């Protein structure tokens, strides 16, 4: 039987990217890093490596870059810290691993992978996740590793705007106001990857610093299997980025795969329906990268831009930010 072409797609977040506030040099820096990451994942596949390794290889490069809201570039919480979430799923076995609210792990996707491979659990959070990391010999980094002036400025701006949104309601904490504010103006930049390897196995992974000014131990969609990440052989693999509260409630990654599996929709149609119809009606912004068993790739998003790159067997990488380029 003919094997499908191996392929990979990655994203570096959607959201408040706009042509108006991104210089040509900045755009080029993002494009260069996306290309480096997608090519590294592609090489793994080309050499016969599995889709899980392609996914973590690409994500590690994005986590180590300060450009993206994951690992090194993680955004600040309301209290001025960093709390990272990540997950990974193996389409062959439906095994999955996830971590939430980790603070000292340089590459949270690797810890998610260890949870999948080396623990009897799927999701570990906070101190427990870091305790597990210790037992697995992970290197810890000080919290200052994740600090950056640019992200700190975003926190200050976001806090000022949030205060304004809330004080319109007579100074009382107004969570609807803050939700509306966050949806309009928070900083995205989550990273993710989906891949199909030569053996026909699908995998998906996602890693994030979450949302700027998030509070109270908030956990987004990225570590939630079925919301931010999903992979099932013969069906599809999805990694999401966007306003996590909506992606959890609308079960975005799982819903796309269910449409492919039970309604025989194409990956393009399934992903488009969820992102450009269901989520828009709900008011949830963001996008996904999705790949099916034949290596077809869909990358819909309902924001002005989404950092992304794809590469299919025998082709060069395609790197894009906006709807059309
Ligand atoms: N989905 C992520 C979250 O809500 C944020 C993002 O994609 O930028 O935590």
């Amino acid at each position: 039987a003919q094997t499908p072409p191996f392929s990979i797609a990655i994203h570096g977040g959607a959201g408040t990217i706009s042509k108006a506030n991104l210089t040509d040099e900045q755009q080029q820096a993002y494009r260069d890093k996306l290309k480096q990451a997608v090519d590294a994942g592609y090489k793994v596949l080309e050499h016969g490596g599995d889709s899980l390794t392609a996914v973590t290889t690409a994500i590690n490069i994005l986590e180590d870059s300060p450009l993206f809201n994951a690992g090194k570039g993680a955004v600040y919480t309301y209290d001025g810290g960093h709390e990272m979430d990540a997950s990974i799923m193996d389409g062959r076995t439906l095994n999955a691993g996830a971590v939430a609210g980790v603070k000292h792990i340089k590459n949270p996707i690797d810890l998610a992978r260890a949870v999948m491979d080396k623990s009897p659990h799927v999701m570990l959070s906070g101190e427990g996740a870091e305790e597990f990391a210790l037992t697995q010999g992970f290197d810890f980094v000080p919290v200052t590793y994740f600090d950056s002036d640019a992200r700190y400025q975003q926190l200050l701006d976001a806090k000022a705007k949030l205060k304004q949104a809330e004080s319109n309601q007579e100074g009382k904490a107004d969570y609807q106001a803050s939700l509306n504010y966050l949806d309009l103006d928070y900083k995205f930049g989550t990273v993710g990857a989906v891949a199909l390897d030569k053996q026909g196995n699908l995998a998906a992974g996602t890693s994030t610093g979450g949302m700027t000014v998030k509070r109270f131990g908030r956990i987004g969609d990225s570590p939630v299997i079925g919301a931010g990440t999903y992979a099932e052989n013969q069906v599809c693999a999805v990694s999401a980025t966007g306003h996590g509260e909506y992606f959890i409630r609308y079960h975005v990654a799982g819903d796309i795969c269910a449409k492919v599996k039970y309604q025989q929709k194409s990956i393009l149609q399934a992903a488009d329906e969820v992102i450009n119809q269901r989520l828009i009606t709900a008011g949830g912004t963001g996008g996904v990268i999705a790949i099916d068993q034949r290596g077809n790739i869909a990358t819909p998003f309902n924001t002005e831009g989404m950092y992304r790159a794809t590469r299919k067997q025998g082709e060069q990488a395609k790197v894009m930010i906006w709807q059309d380029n």
Side-chain angles (χ1 to χ4, degrees):
Q2 222 193 338
T3 51
F6 60 86
S7 310
I8 180 165
I10 64 171
H11 70 78
T16 47
I17 323 168
S18 87
K19 290 188 183 175
N21 61 24
L22 212 56
T23 65
D24 288 349
E25 293 76 59
Q26 285 170 326
Q27 287 188 39
Q28 197 53 51
Y30 279 103
R31 289 181 196 274
D32 290 348
K33 194 47 83 176
L34 289 164
K35 180 164 182 339
Q36 183 193 340
V38 83
D39 284 345
Y42 180 91
K43 274 222 170 73
V44 171
L45 299 173
E46 191 177 35
H47 293 146
D50 62 21
S51 49
L52 286 168
T53 309
V55 162
T56 55
T57 300
I59 290 179
N60 283 164
I61 291 172
L62 301 173
E63 284 178 332
D64 290 344
S65 163
L67 293 174
F68 302 95
N69 171 21
K72 177 68 189 154
V75 296
Y76 283 87
T77 64
Y78 189 89
D79 299 320
H82 305 275
E83 293 177 10
M84 288 152 285
D85 305 332
S87 68
I88 190 161
M89 187 160 185
D90 182 351
R92 187 171 48 103
T93 56
L94 302 194
N95 274 338
V99 292
V102 295
K103 297 180 177 170
H104 302 91
I105 307 297
K106 183 166 171 275
N107 294 102
I109 195 70
D110 295 343
L111 187 55
R113 174 95 199 243
V115 171
M116 175 171 81
D117 292 343
K118 311 265 176 57
S119 90
H121 304 300
V122 168
M123 188 189 254
L124 299 180
S125 71
E127 277 176 30
E130 298 203 335
E131 192 66 35
F132 171 71
L134 266 181
T135 70
Q136 298 301 312
F138 271 72
D139 286 334
F140 280 52
V141 289
V143 288
T144 50
Y145 168 78
F146 301 102
D147 286 342
S148 69
D149 291 343
R151 294 283 187 218
Y152 195 68
Q153 196 52 51
Q154 285 176 357
L155 173 66
L156 297 182
D157 292 350
K159 272 185 143 172
K161 285 190 194 155
L162 189 57
K163 211 166 168 193
Q164 209 176 14
E166 290 178 352
S167 65
N168 292 341
Q169 316 290 324
E170 289 148 7
K172 275 187 264 150
D174 179 334
Y175 294 109
Q176 189 55 44
S178 56
L179 189 69
N180 293 344
Y181 156 71
L182 287 170
D183 200 47
L184 285 176
D185 203 31
Y186 76 92
K187 311 294 177 195
F188 304 91
T190 293
V191 310
V194 295
L196 172 69
D197 64 27
K198 283 185 182 171
Q199 287 71 44
N201 292 316
L202 290 166
T206 310
S207 180
T208 189
M211 289 167 68
T212 305
V213 307
K214 65 183 181 180
R215 289 193 217 181
F216 315 127
R218 180 263 189 191
I219 296 170
D221 60 311
S222 306
V224 178
I225 297 301
T229 303
Y230 196 77
E232 181 172 350
N233 274 12
Q234 309 302 334
V235 185
C236 69
V238 178
S239 170
T241 174
H243 192 162
E245 280 66 11
Y246 289 88
F247 281 67
I248 294 175
R249 290 167 52 213
Y250 285 82
H251 190 233
V252 165
D255 193 23
I256 291 171
C257 292
K259 285 177 188 293
V260 173
K261 184 169 179 176
Y262 299 113
Q263 300 177 354
Q264 285 76 44
K265 297 216 161 124
S266 73
I267 192 76
L268 285 165
Q269 196 185 349
D272 184 69
E273 278 179 19
V274 172
I275 298 300
N276 286 318
Q277 293 176 30
R278 226 163 166 243
L279 272 189
I280 286 184
T281 308
T285 51
V288 295
I289 50 170
I291 187 169
D292 72 10
Q293 193 63 40
R294 291 182 301 279
N296 298 308
I297 292 171
T299 63
F301 51 99
N302 60 32
T303 47
E304 189 177 340
M306 179 169 81
Y307 299 113
R308 64 202 186 279
T310 63
R311 190 165 175 193
K312 294 185 178 182
Q313 180 174 353
E315 295 179 10
Q316 288 304 308
K318 291 192 185 115
V319 181
M320 299 177 84
I321 302 178
W322 316 114
Q323 291 289 353
D324 51 353
N325 77 357

